[in-house]
Amino acid sequence: MCGFVGTLLYYMGFHRMYALLKCRAERLGDAKNNKWVKMFRASYVTGTVAWAYVHAMFMTVALIFKFVWQSYGDVETAAKIANKVFYANAAPMLIAYLLCDVGLTVTMIVLVWKKVIPLKSTAARIAATLCNPMMMPGVIGNLFTLLPWPVNQLDHGTESFGHALVLLLGLLLLREMERTGELRRIV
């Protein structure tokens, strides 16, 4: 249930951020920026569909395992069947991951360095480059695995944390647009 609520909140946050990015790109007047804003939209829409699918699939696999185990009392058979269902869904999950996480990561890095998301310094842009769904688990998450248990288990949430940090960049964009008066033209 939490996955579905999170997916809904993900969509709502990213949809509003898309509206801000679209207005900002139009104000900057660069057609190349519009291409990246459209890619941002494709990534978050794909992410919404993909994460709803992934959460439903994981729940289905868990229910299949539970049903087989309760019906036949054999954990090994239940695990084999659940794993077959899981692996049958591996290709769509990989495609979703590439479109959503990789697409969103590349898009956000480009938007940060093209200054569509206005950050005041190079150090802030470097930090923002780490604030996405690929870099968080790839860099920060792997650093957590070097720590002793149970602290090393924190790496499991770094992908979602990367999505949340993208929304933090949206908040920075919102504040900058409010400061420069761009929001008055939107509302």
Side-chain angles (χ1 to χ4, degrees), residues 13-97:
F14 277 86
H15 184 68
R16 292 306 301 156
M17 187 172 170
Y18 165 71
L20 294 173
L21 286 170
K22 185 177 174 186
C23 290
R24 176 83 174 168
E26 287 172 0
R27 189 184 78 72
L28 293 174
D30 186 2
K32 291 180 182 179
N33 289 336
N34 287 330
K35 172 181 73 172
W36 290 104
V37 171
K38 287 177 183 176
M39 186 162 167
F40 176 84
R41 184 176 190 200
S43 295
Y44 85 79
V45 169
T46 302
T48 302
V49 172
W51 301 134
Y53 167 75
V54 164
H55 288 103
M57 191 267 308
F58 281 134
M59 286 305 302
T60 303
V61 169
L63 290 172
I64 289 168
F65 175 84
K66 180 182 175 184
F67 174 77
V68 173
W69 182 39
Q70 286 177 343
S71 296
Y72 300 101
D74 183 11
V75 173
E76 190 175 320
T77 301
K80 281 182 182 178
I81 292 171
N83 283 337
K84 283 186 181 195
V85 171
F86 178 80
Y87 288 121
N89 287 286
M93 284 178 35
L94 177 62
I95 292 167
Y97 177 75

Side-chain angles (χ1 to χ4, degrees), residues 113 122-131:
W113 287 97
T122 301
R125 284 189 286 286
I126 291 170
T129 300
L130 294 174
C131 296

